[in-house]
Amino acid sequence: MRGVAVLGAAARDVRILGGGSATVFPPHVVSPLDGLTAALPGGVRVTYAVGADPRTTLPPAAGPQWRNLDGATGVTARFLGHGERCWRS
């Protein structure tokens, strides 16, 4: 094997505590990505990509790549509803 592709944010993040009666605090945790990287021989390339984002909310849009129509930094969004319900932010 020359390489392994690991996809998904959940592969990078350590997940513990399933909730309810599964509240167990392990003495040591390892993410799937780190575990695979450590377990595979040194000659095997591990490539990681976030893939689809499983979060239910998105982080705020920020950074120089976000520009308004007038070129200023930021984002302008227009949300239109039906009939009288119309708003802009």
Side-chain angles (χ1 to χ4, degrees), residues 6-19:
V6 182
L7 304 175
R12 176 195 60 213
D13 302 330
V14 175
R15 300 284 185 219
I16 59 171
L17 305 177

Side-chain angles (χ1 to χ4, degrees), residues 4-69:
V4 174
V6 182
L7 304 175
R12 176 195 60 213
D13 302 330
V14 175
R15 300 284 185 219
I16 59 171
L17 305 177
S21 63
T23 304
V24 176
F25 297 95
H28 180 74
V29 295
V30 177
S31 73
L33 178 60
D34 290 340
L36 280 170
T37 302
L40 291 170
V44 177
R45 184 181 72 244
V46 178
T47 303
Y48 169 75
V50 172
D53 192 338
R55 294 178 290 187
T56 56
T57 60
L58 295 175
Q65 72 275 17
W66 294 95
R67 299 279 178 190
N68 283 323
L69 295 175

Side-chain angles (χ1 to χ4, degrees), residues 59-82:
Q65 72 275 17
W66 294 95
R67 299 279 178 190
N68 283 323
L69 295 175
D70 63 2
T73 301
V75 175
T76 299
R78 184 177 294 172
F79 301 93
L80 302 174
H82 293 92

